[in-house]
Amino acid sequence: GAAYDSGERHPPPKCHPDTRTGILSRITQFISNPQKHRICLLSGMAGSGKSSIAYTIAERCKEQQRLAASFFFSRGKAGRSNADRLI
């Protein structure tokens, strides 16, 4: 259930077309130029759309055959509520 395309989250939390274009563009630029920075931190209040943005980026990377891995945390889900299984 941690993969971006897991059937556990249906419908998936992705951005509506033509929304959040600024942040999606900045993250896309980060992915295209990884030498400058190695970590991209997406933060914000609960319900602000972080999962939607992350899902949309993962989907775009998959379409471009650039997705190496994905892991979506989920509060209250065994094995997905902390980093123990990620690291």
Side-chain angles (χ1 to χ4, degrees):
Y4 92 95
D5 58 355
S6 169
E8 193 171 296
R9 287 179 311 280
H10 188 75
K14 58 183 176 178
C15 299
H16 293 286
D18 301 321
T19 63
R20 298 187 173 118
T21 56
I23 188 67
L24 292 172
S25 176
R26 286 176 47 200
I27 294 171
T28 300
Q29 289 174 4
F30 168 82
I31 292 167
S32 300
N33 188 16
Q35 297 83 11
K36 187 174 180 183
H37 302 287
R38 295 181 186 254
I39 296 175
C40 178
L41 179 63
L42 183 60
S43 64
M45 295 177 56
S48 63
K50 298 177 301 290
S51 293
S52 298
I53 292 167
Y55 181 92
T56 300
I57 292 294
E59 184 177 55
R60 288 180 180 184
C61 288
K62 173 79 174 180
E63 289 169 357
Q64 297 170 0
Q65 298 181 350
R66 297 181 76 182
L67 182 65
S70 67
F71 190 99
F72 282 81
F73 290 93
S74 182
R75 185 171 294 147
K77 297 281 186 176
R80 289 182 37 218
S81 60
N82 61 52
D84 290 347
R85 290 197 174 179
L86 177 66
I87 299 172

